[in-house]
């Protein structure tokens, strides 16, 4: 509307000097001259522009200028439930990510809150948006990536896929041995059957909780699986051939650092 108003008001301001002279003295409806009408239009447009600017300024000061509630609202809107959980780098340049208690996502009505998990990554790794169209669908809780080294994903799946009598405090050993877990859930990570692709498997224990660790190829991927509450956690670390060759040590360290806390 502002653009249209300005265009209308500027019609009489032709570059031709004769037109300027005539339009300044010609009467229009209401008894005012064209020049008076032009002046009134310009004043109105200026007032509308000032009002719009002041409105934007008010919105900006509320949402952007102050580190208070307005900024928090904007952050939540931009992040869409993604809340930063990274620590500062340690003396080796590695950071620890811990799933924030405030992060949204429950993966189904009636499910208990997701028990937080943690892992470590080099400092150039960062969280990336999750799409329900990604492999793993709505059960992907988190993605991390480094353009240089590779990618990480966390899938949180219901243990009801295995049985409906496992209770609400499941241990991964209750679900089954490593072979059963990787055969059932490995396809969610790599998008195909894992038969013949498991290069190695291992069982590690940390603070009384078991973690099944697998290496698959192809594609190059490391998977750490455990259970907590009524969910199975699948933590995968992958990279292309060159990344696998150059950064395998880092990728392995990331994969084995996964813990449910």
């Amino acid at each position: 509307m502002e653009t249209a108003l300005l265009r209308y008001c500027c019609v009489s301001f032709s570059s031709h000097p004769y037109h300027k002279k005539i339009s300044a003295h010609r009467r229009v409806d209401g008894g005012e001259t064209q020049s008076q009408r032009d002046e009134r239009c310009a004043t109105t447009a200026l007032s509308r522009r000032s009002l719009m600017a002041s409105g934007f300024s008010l919105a900006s000061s509320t949402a952007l200028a102050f580190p208070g509630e307005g900024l928090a609202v904007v952050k939540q809107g931009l992040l869409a439930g993604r809340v930063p959980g990274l620590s500062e780098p340690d003396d080796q340049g590695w950071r620890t990510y811990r799933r924030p208690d405030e992060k949204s996502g429950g993966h189904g009505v009636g499910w208990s809150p997701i028990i937080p998990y943690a892992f470590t990554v080099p400092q150039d790794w960062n969280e990336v948006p999750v799409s329900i169209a990604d492999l793993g669908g709505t059960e992907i809780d988190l993605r991390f990536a480094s353009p240089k080294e590779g990618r990480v994903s966390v899938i949180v799946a219901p243990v009801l896929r295995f049985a409906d009598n496992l209770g609400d405090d499941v241990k991964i050993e209750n679900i089954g041995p490593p072979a059963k877990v990787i055969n059932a859930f490995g396809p969610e990570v790599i998008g195909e059957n894992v038969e013949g692709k498991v290069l190695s498997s291992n069982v590690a224990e940390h603070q009384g909780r078991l973690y099944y660790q697998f290496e698959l190829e192809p594609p190059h991927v490391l998977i750490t699986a455990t259970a907590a509450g009524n969910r199975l956690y699948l933590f995968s670390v992958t990279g292309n051939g060159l990344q696998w060759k150059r950064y395998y040590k880092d990728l392995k360290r990331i994969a084995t650092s996964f813990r449910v806390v």
Side-chain angles (χ1 to χ4, degrees):
M1 292 180 65
E2 181 187 352
T3 302
L5 181 60
L6 287 174
R7 186 181 297 117
Y8 174 80
C9 292
C10 291
V11 168
S12 64
F13 291 99
S14 168
S15 59
H16 198 289
Y18 176 77
H19 180 77
K20 286 183 180 180
K21 182 177 180 181
I22 296 299
S23 63
H25 295 282
R26 181 169 52 88
R27 294 283 178 177
V28 295
D29 294 340
E32 61 182 354
T33 64
Q34 183 64 45
S35 60
Q36 289 173 330
R37 185 169 187 171
D38 291 338
E39 182 179 357
R40 177 170 56 82
C41 288
T43 303
T44 302
L46 182 59
S47 299
R48 291 175 63 85
R49 182 180 297 177
S50 300
L51 180 60
M52 292 175 65
S54 63
F56 177 79
S57 177
L58 177 61
S60 301
S61 63
T62 302
L64 302 175
F66 303 103
E69 295 181 357
L71 183 59
V73 171
V74 172
K75 283 185 175 181
Q76 289 294 330
L78 293 175
L79 294 175
R82 295 164 49 237
V83 181
L86 278 170
S87 69
E88 292 297 321
D90 61 17
D91 55 359
Q92 296 181 334
W94 284 65
R95 301 190 293 176
T96 297
Y97 174 87
R98 181 190 184 279
R99 188 186 195 276
D101 296 332
E102 300 85 3
K103 183 177 179 178
S104 61
H107 305 299
V109 176
W111 289 87
S112 58
I114 293 177
I115 299 174
Y117 51 80
F119 56 89
T120 60
V121 289
Q123 60 182 339
D124 64 335
W125 286 64
N126 286 288
E127 185 178 358
V128 297
V130 172
S131 169
I132 61 174
D134 290 342
L135 186 64
T138 58
E139 292 174 353
I140 295 182
D141 188 64
L142 181 75
R143 283 195 186 280
F144 257 69
S146 162
K148 181 176 68 174
E149 295 190 37
R151 304 179 305 279
V152 159
S153 71
V154 182
I155 294 177
V156 184
V159 297
L160 290 175
R161 290 193 184 180
F162 285 97
D164 58 5
N165 58 354
L166 293 175
D168 293 328
D169 188 18
V170 181
K171 306 298 183 185
I172 197 166
E173 57 266 33
N174 301 143
I175 297 175
K180 181 179 180 181
V181 172
I182 194 62
N183 287 333
F185 281 95
E188 292 205 26
V189 177
I190 68 172
E192 56 186 284
N193 196 297
V194 300
E195 185 177 357
K197 300 180 183 295
V198 182
L199 299 182
S200 65
S201 64
N202 183 52
V203 178
E205 181 177 351
H206 302 282
Q207 296 183 337
R209 190 184 304 278
L210 295 186
Y211 295 82
Y212 294 171
Q213 301 169 342
F214 309 93
E215 181 171 346
L216 281 66
E217 187 178 308
H220 302 289
V221 60
L222 298 164
I223 299 174
T224 299
T226 194
N230 51 16
R231 295 181 173 88
L232 178 74
Y233 293 73
L234 288 169
F235 180 72
S236 66
V237 183
T238 186
N240 60 37
L242 183 59
Q243 291 169 331
W244 205 253
K245 181 177 180 180
R246 290 183 176 180
Y247 303 106
Y248 177 81
K249 185 177 180 180
D250 283 354
L251 299 176
K252 183 75 170 179
R253 178 175 172 180
I254 295 171
T256 57
S257 71
F258 183 75
R259 303 283 188 275
V260 172
V261 296

